[in-house]
Structures are given as structure tokens and as C-alpha cells.
Amino acid sequence: MIRHLAVSLVALLAGAVHAQQWVELSDPLAFDKPPPVWCNAQRTACAISRQPYGASGALRIALTVTGTPDCKVRRVRYVFVRRSGEKDGDLARVQEVIGSTCLLDIPLSQIEGMRLLQFSVPMLTQDSVLMELALDGLDADRLAKNRL
């Protein structure tokens, strides 16, 4: 089941360029429809689920790169941008790497009141890859709980 979901997620993230939006994961043969994910326009950064973390929980983020990420050894850096434009940053330890996708959790307490997340994904063959995930329109309650 996890492998099927991982393959579906990687296929979804490799899809065509779309506007920042909710992306419905659907399988015409599935009896139940999995909840949607929230992705950037390139589908390289997606909020895929809510995870247990302290009192408020965490947002599981999938970051997909072209090439080989070095997320297991080096930490992913991220900057969160508040609505006022003020920035702050942190490092995240990756929960899992599936092919070219790094999965990491960001506490929801850091996400609340933010409009944008910027990521720097370490790579084996180059310094890093930069990507963004806008949070305007994200409703964390629509995400599945404990996916991947």
C-alpha cells in the first residue's frame, strides 16, 4: 500500500506544470478517493499530509528534484515568509527519501500566519536546488493524516 502511494506521489509530482492548487490523487479503480495534496506550480514542492508533532502537529512536505538529492546526509534549509514580508529560517531533518523526493515535517506552529515557504534542497552533484511553496489557499485540514 505504501509503495503504491509512493509511486502515485512520484508520478503526480512529475506531472505537467499547473497553477498552484489542490491536486486530487485519483485512481479510477480505487474504491475510496485519497485526500488531495497542495502543490506549487511546478509540482516540485507539495504539502501531502498532517503528521503528529507536539500539540499542534506538523505538515509533511514532499520536495522532488531532478537528479539525486543529498537529504539523508545534509539537512534541508527552509525560510518561511510572513504576510508582512518578514522572514525567518530553520533546518529540517528529512523523514524519508523516495527516489528523487525528500519528505520532511515542518511544525504547524511555524506554518500558521505564513504566506510562503522557500526551500534549499542539498544535492550530490551540485550545491542545492531552490524551490517555493505558497501557502495562500492551503487548508491543512483537507490533507490526509499520517500519509507516508
Side-chain angles (χ1 to χ4, degrees):
M1 176 67 183
I2 291 177
R3 186 166 195 226
H4 174 70
L5 186 57
V7 170
S8 298
L9 178 64
V10 171
L12 169 76
L13 296 176
V17 175
H18 289 87
Q20 189 106 1
Q21 63 184 355
W22 286 101
V23 179
E24 297 287 339
L25 293 174
S26 61
D27 180 351
L29 299 175
F31 292 101
D32 57 342
K33 186 176 176 183
V37 296
W38 177 256
C39 293
N40 66 2
Q42 300 79 23
R43 295 189 180 177
T44 55
C46 293
I48 60 172
S49 66
R50 291 182 62 159
Q51 299 293 320
Y53 182 90
S56 64
L59 194 63
R60 174 134 310 161
I61 304 289
L63 303 173
T64 303
V65 296
T66 302
T68 307
D70 191 18
C71 300
K72 284 277 190 189
V73 178
R74 296 167 31 203
R75 289 187 177 202
V76 173
R77 295 181 181 274
Y78 64 95
V79 172
F80 38 93
V81 182
R82 292 179 174 80
R83 300 203 190 289
S84 66
E86 182 182 340
K87 294 181 178 184
D88 202 354
D90 207 344
L91 295 171
R93 199 174 61 174
V94 169
Q95 301 299 320
E96 188 173 353
V97 177
I98 302 172
S100 297
T101 302
C102 301
L103 300 173
L104 60 116
D105 294 343
I106 298 177
L108 281 171
S109 60
Q110 289 183 348
I111 301 289
E112 294 169 2
M114 301 301 155
R115 67 174 179 85
L116 179 69
L117 288 170
Q118 299 172 327
F119 300 96
S120 175
V121 181
M123 301 290 288
L124 285 176
T125 59
Q126 61 196 48
D127 289 336
S128 62
V129 173
L130 303 175
M131 57 186 71
E132 294 184 344
L133 179 63
L135 300 175
D136 291 332
L138 171 69
D139 177 5
D141 292 331
R142 287 188 63 189
L143 297 170
K145 289 187 174 45
N146 305 321
R147 179 188 285 159
L148 290 181

